[in-house]
Amino acid sequence: PTMVRYLLRKEAHIYQQDHATGSGPIWAVHNLFNRGFLKLQAGYRGMLDWSLDHPGTVVASFVLLAGTAIGLSQLIGRDFFPRVDAGLIRMHVRAPSGVRIEETEEYFSRIEASIRQTIPGREIETILDNIGLPIIGLNLAYSDSNTIGRSDGEILISLKRDHSPTDGYIRQLRRKLREEFPDCEFFFQPADMTGQILNFGLPAPIDIQITSRNTRAALPIAREIERRVAAVPGAVDVHLHQVTDAPDLKVNVDRTKAELVGLTQRDVANALLVTLSSSGQVSPNYWIDPVNGVNYGISVQTPPTRLESFDDIANTPISGPGGAVPQLLRNLASMERGQSWAVVNHWNIQPVLNVYAGVEGRDLGGVAGDVQEIVDSLKKKLPRGMLIDIRGQVETMNSSFIRLGAGLIFAIILVYLLMVVNFQSWLDPFIILMALPGALSGIIWMLFLSQTTFSVPSLMGAIMSIGVATANSILMITFANDQRELGLSARQAALEAGTVRLRPVLMTAFAMVIGMLPMSLGWGEGGEQNAPLGRAVIGGLILATVATLFLVPVTYRLLRKKAPRKLEMTEESA
């Protein structure tokens, strides 16, 4: 208002005339636009006049539109956040259990050659292989928990800026590598920071946890879940995290013989640990260089070249405290080959098995729904004390959707109550909110036509479009009430309100639609993240504007039978 007072003071006399006129190219454009708008306004007035005479047809049309939108909402999937093409691929490779790290490296070399045949060299920035586990415990604490041994590793691929869609390469690699390397297991993890945060560090968005103290009894159920989930459309990279067939060497100490020579089972374990993994695991030592002040770790270990058979390990000397005579391991223990679990996981102290599943070519909510049906069918057969839960990104997505939905409903109720206080009426706010079904229908139709799923950004866009739709309806109802205070009927007031408020309603809606158009197209890096927000706003505003211009006046004409409060008070005083 302050800017109008100072900047438009000299132009006020122009708009006081019946037809604003002026000279120059700006006025020429203005006059041309205004003539077109007046024709549009006259056409809209005619359609609104007809709508006010046929309210049943208008209301039935919007009810049909809303019902169709409800049906379409079942066809729109659900995702927590849209996928972003960051040009990064993170592929986990699990070679056969028990292979040495040098054999794992040979696998990785052949797999990398196959990757370079699939992805053109001009699009590859870097390829990095991380194989095996670190020996030092501190490094192990910061490493990826999916790498569980020397036969494990991951390949990180970074693509150049102008690359083909990353998901296309992932689909090709998923199919090709499993055909070329059937003895290896492959699964793709989120490579960008956003995907890793949404998964909370897990390798896949769906984590099916089987909780049981008897993990041996839970293993067949986990295998059954893995088999059935792999058959779900859209579920990919389904795998059991726990490797149960890792080869090991069991050393059975004869405690009686060990005690006769003054040794314990702990002495045998410590001696083998130093022999096989160096003294840095049990008694780290450091030497400080007096020249540069840097301390270096000093470890003692038997050279691996001298441990190539059972006999070499059996000849390991075992010494204990107190100067006991060293004994050979063969005199104290027997050895045998076996199998064991390479990794043991816990959740809330309870042992768990984890079946992970990714999603490709389908929404996360749809795949999670099918997985939930499988889990529900198996829960009836579980032994006592065994539980199955679905966690990961799915759990967070469901809770977020429930909270956003509750927040949206609470916002509508709060806005309604606020308008009740403002308008001093229960009916006018209800008429204003008649634009909201149009907004929600427009959101659903736009998401369906653009093949966009429900997600946190699209729900945020829904809240934005509802706010703008409510503001436009307030303009309409406020003007209609002012006209009724001048003595017009509800029908005449609705007709005048629609005709006069057509310009500001269209300006507000079009400004928002044009502003959201670049965002809805997903332009720029990471544009896929915000595109659902723009699409939801555009779709919601288009149909909300139609509802504001037709349904709101018709509802006003049907429900506003009594005269406005000010007019009633004037008639009583007269």
Side-chain angles (χ1 to χ4, degrees):
T2 304
M3 301 301 291
V4 168
R5 180 177 184 273
Y6 285 102
L7 297 181
L8 297 183
R9 181 187 305 173
K10 297 181 180 179
E11 300 181 13
H13 68 282
I14 299 178
Y15 293 94
Q16 292 173 0
Q17 303 173 8
D18 293 337
H19 300 285
T21 58
S23 58
I26 296 180
W27 273 104
V29 174
H30 168 74
N31 292 330
L32 179 63
F33 172 81
N34 213 32
R35 286 194 295 270
F37 180 78
L38 291 176
K39 293 180 181 179
L40 173 65
Q41 190 179 47
Y44 164 70
R45 184 182 180 90
M47 290 188 292
L48 180 59
D49 192 23
W50 181 90
S51 300
L52 293 173
D53 290 335
H54 302 81
T57 304
V58 175
V59 174
S61 299
F62 275 92
V63 170
L64 179 62
L65 181 65
T68 306
I70 293 176
L72 288 178
S73 64
Q74 306 302 317
L75 304 177
I76 301 176
R78 294 179 300 121
D79 283 310
F80 194 15
F81 276 86
R83 288 177 58 88
V84 177
D85 190 349
L88 300 173
I89 300 176
R90 184 182 179 189
M91 181 178 66
H92 195 95
V93 182
R94 184 166 292 168
S97 298
V99 301
R100 297 174 62 89
I101 192 168
E102 55 266 27
E103 297 179 42
T104 306
E105 184 181 5
E106 294 180 3
Y107 273 104
F108 272 67
S109 298
R110 288 186 285 147
I111 292 172
E112 184 175 329
S114 181
I115 292 174
R116 294 185 182 276
Q117 294 175 1
T118 304
I119 304 177
R122 64 180 182 277
E123 297 186 13
I124 298 178
E125 185 76 32
T126 56
I127 296 181
L128 177 64
D129 300 343
N130 293 324
I131 306 174
L133 286 174
I135 297 178
I136 301 177
L138 181 63
N139 291 341
L140 180 61
Y142 290 100
S143 63
D144 181 20
S145 61
N146 295 296
T147 303
I148 59 177
R150 58 184 177 273
S151 60
D152 249 8
E154 62 181 19
I155 299 178
L156 305 177
I157 306 170
S158 175
L159 304 180
K160 294 182 179 179
R161 181 179 297 271
D162 299 326
H163 60 83
S164 301
T166 306
D167 287 343
Y169 287 136
I170 291 177
R171 284 192 293 269
Q172 295 179 41
L173 292 174
R174 182 177 285 123
R175 182 183 64 255
K176 179 181 180 181
L177 293 178
R178 287 177 179 172
E179 293 176 355
E180 296 182 356
F181 304 93
D183 54 342
C184 294
E185 186 176 19
F186 301 89
F187 56 90
F188 291 83
Q189 302 175 235
D192 59 291
M193 185 62 67
T194 303
Q196 294 177 20
I197 292 174
L198 294 179
N199 280 356
F200 298 96
L202 297 177
I206 301 177
D207 177 15
I208 308 169
Q209 288 188 347
I210 302 94
T211 306
S212 175
R213 290 187 176 274
N214 188 355
T215 53
R216 295 290 179 183
L219 182 59
I221 297 177
R223 294 295 187 190
E224 175 69 11
I225 293 176
E226 181 183 17
R227 182 185 63 81
R228 295 178 62 176
V229 172
V232 172
V236 295
D237 297 339
V238 182
H239 66 281
L240 178 65
H241 176 60
Q242 284 74 21
V243 175
T244 61
D245 60 347
D248 60 7
L249 178 63
K250 298 183 183 297
V251 179
N252 303 312
V253 179
D254 190 329
R255 299 190 181 188
T256 303
K257 293 182 179 180
E259 187 177 358
L260 291 176
V261 294
L263 299 174
T264 64
Q265 188 165 353
R266 180 180 179 180
D267 298 329
V268 177
N270 286 339
L272 284 177
L273 182 62
V274 171
T275 299
L276 300 176
S277 295
S278 82
S279 59
Q281 298 292 320
V282 290
S283 57
N285 291 290
Y286 299 93
W287 173 73
I288 300 179
D289 190 339
V291 178
N292 55 22
V294 178
N295 54 335
Y296 299 91
I298 300 177
S299 300
V300 178
Q301 179 182 0
T302 302
T305 55
R306 298 181 60 181
L307 296 173
E308 296 182 348
S309 64
F310 265 34
D311 289 337
D312 294 339
I313 299 177
N315 291 328
T316 300
I318 308 297
S319 60
V325 178
Q327 300 289 328
L328 296 180
L329 179 63
R330 66 172 65 252
N331 298 329
L332 304 175
S334 61
M335 294 183 292
E336 61 179 352
R337 296 185 183 272
Q339 289 184 347
S340 63
W341 291 38
V343 61
V344 177
N345 291 40
H346 291 81
W347 176 268
N348 290 338
I349 310 177
Q350 298 294 322
V352 296
L353 300 181
N354 300 86
V355 178
Y356 293 120
V359 178
E360 178 188 85
R362 193 181 173 194
D363 63 289
L364 177 59
V367 175
D370 292 345
V371 172
Q372 186 66 56
E373 292 181 1
I374 296 174
V375 171
D376 292 339
S377 65
L378 291 174
K379 282 184 177 180
K380 305 174 183 178
K381 308 175 184 178
L382 295 181
R384 189 173 182 178
M386 188 177 298
L387 302 174
I388 303 180
D389 296 295
I390 299 179
R391 296 191 172 93
Q393 188 181 142
V394 173
E395 184 181 27
T396 308
M397 180 188 71
N398 292 334
S399 62
S400 299
F401 274 44
I402 292 174
R403 293 173 183 174
L404 278 173
L408 183 60
I409 296 173
F410 179 76
I412 294 174
I413 296 174
L414 184 62
V415 168
Y416 174 76
L417 296 177
L418 182 62
M419 289 191 295
V420 167
V421 176
N422 202 10
F423 282 87
Q424 291 296 301
S425 169
W426 293 94
L427 187 58
D428 284 345
F430 177 77
I431 298 173
I432 290 171
L433 292 182
M434 284 297 100
L436 299 191
L440 296 176
S441 300
I443 293 168
I444 294 173
W445 272 100
M446 178 59 74
L447 295 180
F448 174 76
L449 294 176
S450 61
Q451 295 296 298
T452 305
T453 58
F454 287 117
S455 60
V456 171
S458 62
L459 292 180
M460 293 173 61
I463 296 175
M464 294 175 60
S465 63
I466 286 175
V468 177
T470 304
N472 286 340
S473 295
I474 291 175
L475 288 177
M476 190 78 68
I477 299 305
T478 303
F479 191 87
N481 285 339
D482 292 341
Q483 294 300 305
R484 293 200 65 205
E485 291 177 3
L486 298 177
L488 296 183
S489 65
R491 184 191 185 284
Q492 293 172 329
L495 183 61
E496 291 300 322
T499 304
V500 176
R501 291 305 188 189
L502 177 63
R503 187 189 296 264
V505 168
L506 291 181
M507 286 175 59
T508 304
F510 283 169
M512 197 73 165
V513 168
I514 294 173
M516 288 290 176
L517 188 59
M519 181 185 294
S520 67
L521 297 176
W523 289 347
E525 293 186 7
E528 306 95 332
Q529 195 80 38
N530 296 321
L533 188 150
R535 294 167 187 171
V537 170
I538 291 175
L541 282 183
I542 290 175
L543 279 189
T545 303
V546 176
T548 302
L549 296 177
F550 290 96
L551 182 61
V552 172
V554 169
T555 308
Y556 187 87
R557 184 254 185 193
L558 292 175
L559 300 182
R560 257 303 171 201
K561 302 297 184 182
K562 297 177 60 177
R565 183 180 299 274
K566 292 183 180 179
L567 187 57
E568 290 178 354
M569 296 175 60
T570 303
E571 291 176 350
E572 292 176 359
S573 61

